[in-house]
Amino acid sequence: MKILVTENIAQEGIAFLKAQNMDVTVNYSLTREELLSSISEYDALIVRSVTKVNEELYAHATNLKVVGRAGNGVDNIELAGATERGIIVVNTPDANTVSAAEHTIALMLSMSRNIPRANQHIKSKQWDRTLFRGVELKGKTLGIIGLGRIGTMVATRMQSFGMDVIAYDPYIRSDKFEKLGVEKMEQLSDLLGKSDFISVHTPKTKETIGIINADSFKLVKKGVRVVNCARGGIIDEAALYDALTQGIVAGAAIDVLKDEPHPISPLLDLESTVITPHLGADTFEAQKNVGESVAIEVFEALKGKLVANAVNLPTLSQQELEHMKPYLTLLERMGKIYHQIHHDAVERIVFTYKGDFTHRNTDPFVLAFIKGLYETVLDTPVTYVNAKLIAENRGVTIAESRVSTTEDFNNSVKIEIHSKNQTFEMEGALFGKKEPRIVSINSYPVDMTPKGNMLMIENNDSPGMIGTIGLLLGQNNINISTMNVSLSKTLKPALMLLTVDCPVPDDVLSQIQNQKGILKAWTLKM
């Protein structure tokens, strides 16, 4: 097997591949033309973030089986093209976790004790330690936003400093908080008001961009200190600048900027900030881990094994893929619905298969649903390979049952999602030429093709509601493609489902929610 490495990875990774009798070519200076002309010789390609792995490259890569990304993000890799060609894409999301957690703590300490300013002061041949009086971490409350891998590491380490740790993460079950000895905050506002230090560890999604903003700084303790080693843009930099200059925030330690790698943030002008150029994963150990991890993933994928960090659908024969596609599409789109409506952590999912579904291998159905469920709230790829592990790590249990006959449909699957406070139910079926449809949401019978941009509205069952919504959308130049109105079998409100020709902006959704008779409204992106 021939492997091409076009960007720098640790020598330990190269050595591992050569020890496995792989034919490895390392060339960090290939031009694009040289890469395209030679890629047909190789079975695998290892890159970082610069090499563009796209349709242009795929057209020349006639023998390519695996692409390895040494790092987490895969923005430079076109996944759809790889999947269509049976090329597995792997990455290394866990290799730098310790380094990122330690850098968070290093920034917290540097900010607390004014270390960068003090270092600069004494190197300028001055000595006035009264300028740099700091604060202790012991006895302070640390608020962690996002209790994933890195957030968990920061929490446990800072507890050893004598800090009281609280956290907000609506997608993590309560028992994980209890196991860690971390107090769960049900609302972000609760965390903001109680924290002496706030550290952000969320993925960068539509929901989390600007999650800390001007309104947030109205709720914090005066003198709070803020850390962001996650992603630029999660904290509104302009709002943080104002809070720092007004004395609301005593200090900020930042490793990521909205416009990086361009150093143009207003935070750079303040003495009360400690800023580093995205160094969270930049340690010798992390880079060694990344190099070794990507090498192992590529080798195992070439040997036909299922690898934990494959970020696209594992290789299937064209016949298998075509046969499974309608079922997987239905389950994946059903999965996308829940977290766009509810923020409660999922504890249990129950699948009930009916009719034709009972004769299938249902493992891919579960994976497809989990993939859809979590890719709406995570910025790391959720795949058919890692979906079950992601659910297990969040304490989600899965139950399945089969019913051989069904009164209403030849084939359907009913899904119950249990959280701490509620149960959400929906049922999907395949119509005609395997067209995915949602046929029930909670107690509402519906006929919904889950695709594109959608609106779901719960409203009083009263005259004029359809006209009200239609008029309001029309006034905002939003065209309705389909509309489905359903009455509950047990409840008085009605449920309205619409597909529209463009995303519904937040301000239009607010207008809808403010209409008389509207109980709740949600936008859905399929």
Side-chain angles (χ1 to χ4, degrees):
M1 295 284 190
K2 298 186 68 175
I3 301 172
L4 175 63
V5 183
T6 62
E7 296 181 63
N8 186 33
I9 67 168
Q11 285 303 309
E12 289 85 353
I14 304 295
F16 169 83
L17 291 170
K18 290 182 176 179
Q20 310 307 316
N21 297 317
M22 297 287 106
D23 183 353
V24 184
T25 300
V26 179
N27 192 333
Y28 302 150
S29 59
L30 278 177
T31 66
R32 183 68 176 178
E33 290 73 22
E34 290 169 337
L35 173 61
L36 294 177
S37 65
S38 62
I39 191 62
S40 62
E41 305 172 23
Y42 296 97
D43 300 282
L45 172 66
I46 296 178
V47 303
R48 292 189 78 94
S49 59
V50 174
T51 304
K52 301 299 182 186
V53 184
N54 53 19
E55 285 296 325
E56 180 186 43
L57 185 140
Y58 294 140
H60 294 80
T62 51
N63 290 312
L64 194 63
K65 302 172 183 66
V66 182
V67 175
R69 164 67 164 95
N72 186 18
V74 288
D75 295 344
N76 57 314
I77 301 172
E78 289 186 5
L79 296 179
T83 301
E84 288 174 5
R85 293 167 173 81
I87 299 169
I88 297 178
V89 179
V90 298
N91 69 345
T92 58
D94 296 319
N96 57 18
T97 301
V98 171
S99 292
E102 290 185 354
H103 192 61
T104 300
I105 296 166
L107 285 178
M108 199 179 303
L109 289 165
S110 296
M111 169 180 57
S112 301
R113 300 306 299 269
N114 299 305
I115 291 173
R117 289 173 53 216
N119 174 69
Q120 190 175 30
H121 174 80
I122 197 168
K123 285 187 173 180
S124 66
K125 306 298 190 294
Q126 302 179 70
W127 187 287
D128 185 356
R129 64 186 186 184
T130 63
L131 298 174
F132 309 109
R133 182 164 295 158
V135 296
E136 291 185 353
L137 301 182
K138 181 181 179 181
K140 302 298 192 304
T141 297
L142 169 62
I144 293 178
I145 303 173
L147 201 60
R149 299 186 309 272
I150 298 172
T152 295
M153 283 191 175
V154 172
T156 55
R157 284 156 174 74
M158 298 321 294
Q159 285 169 333
S160 69
F161 277 71
M163 299 192 83
D164 296 319
V165 182
I166 63 177
Y168 170 73
D169 192 326
Y171 304 110
I172 299 294
R173 287 180 50 170
S174 298
D175 53 0
K176 179 177 179 179
F177 288 80
E178 295 170 3
K179 183 178 180 180
L180 293 171
V182 174
E183 185 181 355
K184 181 176 183 178
M185 298 291 102
E186 297 294 342
Q187 302 295 329
L188 178 58
S189 57
D190 297 333
L191 179 142
L192 296 174
K194 293 182 178 181
S195 300
D196 300 300
F197 290 77
I198 296 172
S199 188
V200 176
H201 299 285
T202 69
K204 188 175 183 178
T205 65
K206 179 182 177 182
E207 182 181 359
T208 62
I209 292 175
I211 192 172
I212 303 297
N213 50 45
D215 290 335
S216 305
F217 291 119
K218 296 176 182 177
L219 303 175
V220 299
K221 285 184 180 181
K222 186 172 183 180
V224 69
R225 289 171 169 83
V226 178
V227 185
N228 184 9
C229 272
R231 294 287 188 271
I234 292 176
I235 298 178
D236 185 316
E237 292 174 13
L240 178 56
Y241 176 89
D242 290 340
L244 285 161
T245 56
Q246 294 167 15
I248 297 170
V249 176
I254 306 294
D255 187 47
V256 287
L257 296 171
K258 178 173 69 72
D259 295 310
E260 63 182 49
H262 308 293
I264 58 176
S265 172
L267 300 175
L268 297 169
D269 299 327
L270 299 178
E271 283 194 347
S272 54
T273 60
V274 178
I275 303 180
T276 52
H278 208 147
L279 300 180
D282 204 2
T283 62
F284 291 105
E285 292 85 355
Q287 294 311 306
K288 175 177 177 290
N289 291 340
V290 167
E292 289 178 333
S293 296
V294 74
I296 293 169
E297 296 280 343
V298 167
F299 173 72
E300 292 189 343
L302 284 174
K303 290 299 181 181
K305 298 180 181 179
L306 291 179
V307 290
N309 293 318
V311 298
N312 63 342
L313 180 67
T315 304
L316 295 172
S317 71
Q318 190 63 33
Q319 183 178 3
E320 289 174 316
L321 184 60
E322 288 302 316
H323 182 72
M324 293 291 289
K325 193 178 292 184
Y327 296 90
L328 299 179
T329 298
L330 172 64
L331 270 296
E332 187 172 332
R333 291 181 182 176
M334 290 176 72
K336 288 179 183 290
I337 294 173
Y338 177 79
H339 276 142
Q340 296 187 74
I341 299 173
H342 297 292
H343 297 304
D344 289 351
V346 176
E347 297 186 350
R348 187 166 183 258
I349 307 173
V350 180
F351 296 81
T352 303
Y353 306 104
K354 303 177 182 179
D356 290 350
F357 274 86
T358 62
H359 306 304
R360 314 281 178 192
N361 172 13
T362 60
D363 289 344
F365 301 159
V366 173
L367 298 178
F369 183 83
I370 296 172
K371 180 177 184 292
L373 179 69
Y374 283 110
E375 67 185 3
T376 60
V377 294
L378 299 178
D379 66 350
T380 53
V382 184
T383 73
Y384 287 88
V385 174
N386 67 9
K388 195 167 186 178
L389 181 61
I390 287 173
E392 288 174 354
N393 287 342
R394 283 160 173 75
V396 178
T397 59
I398 305 294
E400 298 179 84
S401 65
R402 290 169 167 80
V403 178
S404 58
T405 59
T406 175
E407 295 179 2
D408 300 320
F409 308 101
N410 291 331
N411 52 75
S412 70
V413 55
K414 179 181 178 181
I415 299 174
E416 301 170 22
I417 304 175
H418 298 268
S419 65
K420 181 179 180 180
N421 299 312
Q422 62 185 337
T423 298
F424 179 80
E425 298 180 358
M426 55 184 154
E427 187 170 357
L430 295 176
F431 284 13
K433 297 181 178 180
K434 305 299 184 184
E435 181 183 356
R437 303 285 266 274
I438 308 296
V439 296
S440 175
I441 295 179
N442 289 333
S443 57
Y444 294 101
V446 298
D447 181 5
M448 164 189 173
T449 301
K451 64 179 181 180
N453 300 292
M454 306 193 70
L455 265 174
M456 189 166 87
I457 302 169
E458 197 172 61
N459 57 273
N460 290 331
D461 180 23
S462 55
M465 298 307 303
I466 294 175
T468 297
I469 299 303
L471 179 62
L472 194 153
L473 292 176
Q475 290 171 341
N476 286 278
N477 296 314
I478 298 173
N479 187 50
I480 298 173
S481 302
T482 65
M483 176 181 286
N484 181 279
V485 179
S486 174
L487 295 178
S488 169
K489 295 177 181 178
T490 59
L491 304 172
K492 188 175 181 180
L495 185 71
M496 197 181 304
L497 288 167
L498 305 91
T499 55
V500 292
D501 63 352
C502 63
V504 177
D506 291 341
D507 63 321
V508 177
L509 184 64
S510 295
Q511 293 177 45
I512 293 172
Q513 291 175 327
N514 290 332
Q515 296 297 310
K516 183 178 180 181
I518 301 298
L519 303 177
K520 295 178 183 178
W522 304 267
T523 57
L524 303 176
K525 177 67 175 176
M526 293 293 115

